[in-house]
Amino acid sequence: MKQISTIKLGLARGTLEIKQFNRQRESVVFTILFPVILLFIFGSVFNDSIAPGVTFSQYFVAGMIASGLVNSGFQQLAISIPIERDLGTLKRLRGTPMPATAYFIGKGIQVLYSMFLQLTLLLFFGTIFFGLDLPTQPSKWFTFTWLIILGTASSTLLGIAFSVVPKSGRGASAVVSPVVIVLQFFSGVFFIFTTLPSWMQHFAAIFPLKWLTQGMRSVFLPDSFATQEAAKSWEINKIAIILIAWLIAGVFISLKTFKWTKE
Amino acid sequence: MLHPLVIDVSNLTKTYGGKTAVNGINLQVHKGEVFALLGPNGAGKTTTVEILEGYRGRDSGKVSVLGFDPNAKVSKLAERAWRDQIGIVLQTTMDALDLTVRETLTHFAKYYTNPKDSNAVIESVGLTEKVDEKVRTLSGGQRRRLDVALGIIGRPELLFLDEPTTGFDPEARRAFWELIRNLRDEGTSILLTTHYLDEAEALADRVAIINNGEILEVATPKTLGGRQNSKVEISWIENGEPRSSLSDTPTATVQELAARLGGEIAGLTVARPTLEDIYLKMIGENS
């Protein structure tokens, strides 16, 4: 019997997910504009120099881009998948030959899409109003690209993995949002990481967001700032290793624990 | 029956936290057959069907659906090939609200190796006029018809229909019955659960009555509960008063009446118990 390629089905799922995402105006506006609004608030309130040639708002934009990966992947999926489970969307899909992997790929594509929209706005307003300098070296863009890809993939899969935690779609937001907000505070998004208590730094270092923010700083802040980091360096290799480790963990947990129905 | 089995269940049991939902069920459905599972809420219908559909595990017993054990830990590919052959219409689903009827159906068609033509399916469920409308604008009955369309788009050999016509108006229900008959004529085997006894009578080749997790009887709608031999109720009007009697020999009773009343009998009806009467009696005796 002929088999339909899972990749092809994943792309079809992705197209459909984007279509549905675009038609939910509130969620588009919220997901895309929320980081921009935060950028304006924090960027306007804290505009001091934190190092020669580096302002807090530049530091903050890098953090917001990293947060965007966690928001549009982990947070959005860990909230929306329990709702899909409640509505019976997942139960219906489970009854078809469509494999779970295609569903996951579709989610990843949708996250990448919403990430792309967010990034465009953040970079646009960041450069115009908050002194963000777009990198000129190709190597920085290369780092940026793999950070986005690894970040999206691991954030998507961890969101899928976490989607089994909320008991219902209704309560999902209350379960998931605090996790994300606490991680943002601990990971150096709202505060300069090195000024946080060391137990907080150690705790944050377990999770991907801290490494994503650090990676984004390596892209958008001058190299001279590397000495201000906790390890006196950007730790690019370590960032890649930790993100890949979380990605692999995400794949295994998702495939093992994913629930199509409430029972 | 000579046709091979599409569903073969023996001694199926399932308990939830000490409560027995399904208690030793045996069930055979043949290829090309429309088989209805009837029973009150909580009788074990949905549990049974969901075990057959692969949504739930079982505690014991043997289950074969199109020659495949839905609960076997087989390869994903084997499971996909199996799901390619079955169609499932669940009870109320509320998804894909922001897509149009056409978008939803053409997307689901991509999941199957040999799907039906989307336009033809939309036409067969009577949604042609709604084809470019968002799912959220459909009425309850229209949405149910979309559910059915999604269940049959993959050209299933075996179709599961769980209370498919709940919320339909009489006209829509008749149209739906026609659709099911057409599917049967194409050779689709169908397992139907329903609360409507007239629906079971109109569609099913055989019905099974299930109560408290056990099957009370499997028969054709005409012969269930000894229906073909049961007493017939004859009612008529005599001296302006409604009268009735139960008879094992209705023809003789009517002849007697005709002789006694001299010709035409006013207000005559001769009625065998309906499937619903039989069903209620069986459930009542069992509870």
Side-chain angles (χ1 to χ4, degrees):
Chain A
M1 199 194 79
K2 68 174 172 167
Q3 272 293 338
I4 302 162
S5 119
T6 299
I7 301 285
K8 217 172 115 186
L9 278 181
L11 293 176
R13 286 292 317 163
T15 315
L16 196 82
E17 296 272 11
I18 289 174
K19 209 178 260 179
Q20 285 178 290
F21 177 78
N22 283 341
R23 289 179 191 174
Q24 288 163 355
R25 294 264 166 71
E26 338 66 277
S27 83
V28 176
V29 170
F30 181 79
T31 337
I32 308 302
L33 280 186
F34 186 61
V36 176
I37 293 166
L38 279 185
L39 173 62
F40 271 87
I41 296 170
F42 275 78
S44 311
V45 175
F46 308 101
N47 209 6
D48 305 339
S49 232
I50 55 171
V54 180
T55 62
F56 179 75
S57 42
Q58 285 172 302
Y59 190 95
F60 184 67
V61 181
M64 280 316 292
I65 291 171
S67 291
L69 289 164
V70 176
N71 287 323
S72 47
F74 179 81
Q75 180 169 352
Q76 197 258 116
L77 294 181
I79 293 172
S80 67
I81 292 175
I83 295 174
E84 288 190 17
R85 196 177 290 130
D86 280 3
L87 291 178
T89 312
L90 296 186
K91 191 172 186 182
R92 197 206 298 275
L93 290 175
R94 171 80 181 108
T96 73
M98 194 232 14
T101 314
Y103 176 79
F104 297 170
I105 293 172
K107 287 292 181 200
I109 291 171
Q110 186 251 302
V111 171
L112 203 58
Y113 169 80
S114 100
M115 198 53 222
F116 174 79
L117 296 180
Q118 266 185 61
L119 269 179
T120 312
L121 286 182
L122 276 176
L123 294 181
F124 178 77
F125 288 109
T127 47
I128 290 191
F129 294 106
F130 300 103
L132 184 73
D133 296 317
L134 294 184
T136 47
Q137 299 142 267
S139 66
K140 298 257 176 181
W141 283 111
F142 175 73
T143 307
F144 180 70
T145 309
W146 67 251
L147 277 172
I148 294 288
I149 292 170
L150 276 184
T152 304
S154 52
S155 179
T156 299
L157 285 158
L158 292 172
I160 293 168
F162 201 80
S163 73
V164 298
V165 176
K167 287 213 169 57
S168 73
R170 192 185 291 211
S173 181
V175 177
V176 177
S177 303
V179 174
V180 173
I181 291 169
V182 167
L183 263 189
Q184 285 175 324
F185 275 107
F186 283 25
S187 301
V189 175
F190 300 124
F191 303 109
I192 295 163
F193 187 70
T194 46
T195 64
L196 296 171
S198 72
W199 66 268
M200 236 183 235
Q201 294 188 25
H202 288 302
F203 183 76
I206 302 169
F207 301 101
L209 181 55
K210 183 257 175 191
W211 303 98
L212 284 169
T213 53
Q214 193 170 316
M216 287 300 171
R217 286 198 294 274
S218 84
V219 173
F220 292 102
L221 298 188
D223 274 332
S224 60
F225 192 81
T227 55
Q228 307 280 319
E229 292 290 345
K232 313 288 175 217
S233 123
W234 296 125
E235 301 179 283
I236 294 293
N237 295 337
K238 196 170 176 187
I239 293 171
I241 289 166
I242 286 170
L243 290 180
I244 289 170
W246 273 105
L247 175 61
I248 293 168
V251 171
F252 275 103
I253 300 170
S254 298
L255 286 173
K256 276 274 171 237
T257 66
F258 187 69
K259 284 201 299 198
W260 298 92
T261 55
K262 298 188 84 174
E263 291 87 13
Chain B
M1 292 219 194
L2 298 168
H3 293 296
L5 294 175
V6 287
I7 295 176
D8 192 1
V9 174
S10 52
N11 290 317
L12 176 66
T13 61
K14 173 77 182 172
T15 52
Y16 298 111
K19 193 191 169 291
T20 305
V22 176
N23 190 10
I25 275 184
N26 297 297
L27 199 65
Q28 274 85 36
V29 178
H30 297 267
K31 186 167 169 50
E33 190 174 31
V34 178
F35 191 97
L37 208 48
L38 308 174
N41 287 330
K45 289 193 306 277
T46 298
T47 302
T48 304
V49 172
E50 291 198 343
I51 290 169
L52 301 183
E53 292 165 341
Y55 283 115
R56 291 168 196 263
R58 59 182 186 266
D59 296 336
S60 63
K62 280 190 182 152
V63 175
S64 164
V65 176
L66 297 177
F68 182 90
D69 179 349
N71 204 24
K73 298 276 174 278
V74 293
S75 74
K76 297 272 180 213
L77 282 183
E79 189 183 338
R80 274 177 79 178
W82 175 68
R83 293 213 175 272
D84 199 56
Q85 311 291 311
I86 62 174
I88 298 175
V89 178
L90 298 162
Q91 288 184 32
T92 50
T93 22
M94 288 287 288
D95 56 336
L97 297 177
D98 292 302
L99 299 170
T100 68
V101 170
R102 189 199 305 276
E103 286 167 342
T104 310
L105 207 56
T106 49
H107 175 77
F108 272 72
K110 291 178 184 157
Y111 298 166
Y112 297 90
T113 53
N114 183 24
K116 296 188 177 198
D117 174 57
S118 300
N119 288 325
V121 170
I122 288 167
E123 164 127 36
S124 73
V125 298
L127 283 177
T128 306
E129 280 168 26
K130 292 281 172 185
V131 67
D132 290 316
E133 303 285 329
K134 298 259 178 73
V135 174
R136 78 166 66 248
T137 68
L138 300 182
S139 72
Q142 288 167 339
R143 196 170 289 175
R144 208 74 192 103
R145 281 186 266 162
L146 176 61
D147 289 339
V148 174
L150 293 172
I152 63 176
I153 187 70
R155 205 184 298 275
E157 264 187 54
L158 171 63
L159 177 64
F160 292 96
L161 292 168
D162 203 357
E163 295 177 14
T165 60
T166 305
F168 279 30
D169 58 37
E171 202 187 338
R173 174 167 295 135
R174 295 287 160 149
F176 177 80
W177 292 357
E178 219 28 61
L179 170 67
I180 298 306
R181 290 188 184 114
N182 290 338
L183 286 170
R184 182 190 48 196
D185 293 345
E186 290 169 19
T188 314
S189 315
I190 296 167
L191 182 67
L192 168 79
T193 72
T194 182
H195 280 305
Y196 300 108
L197 280 298
D198 58 337
E199 183 159 286
E201 176 136 42
L203 295 178
D205 299 308
R206 288 190 303 150
V207 298
I209 308 291
I210 180 170
N211 196 27
N212 298 325
E214 292 174 8
I215 289 194
L216 303 183
E217 189 177 342
V218 181
T220 67
K222 292 265 177 279
T223 59
L224 188 80
R227 189 181 176 198
Q228 80 284 17
N229 299 321
S230 59
K231 284 192 193 307
V232 173
E233 185 175 18
I234 296 156
S235 31
W236 69 98
I237 294 170
E238 193 172 337
N239 302 328
E241 296 280 316
R243 304 275 301 269
S244 71
S245 82
L246 288 173
S247 169
D248 287 318
T249 52
T251 314
T253 310
V254 172
Q255 278 172 343
E256 264 170 47
L257 266 178
R260 182 154 61 82
L261 299 173
E264 198 58 34
I265 309 165
L268 175 69
T269 59
V270 180
R272 291 204 180 264
T274 63
L275 188 57
E276 187 156 301
D277 297 332
I278 299 283
Y279 166 85
L280 290 173
K281 189 161 160 270
M282 290 176 75
I283 297 294
E285 283 168 1
N286 181 250
S287 297

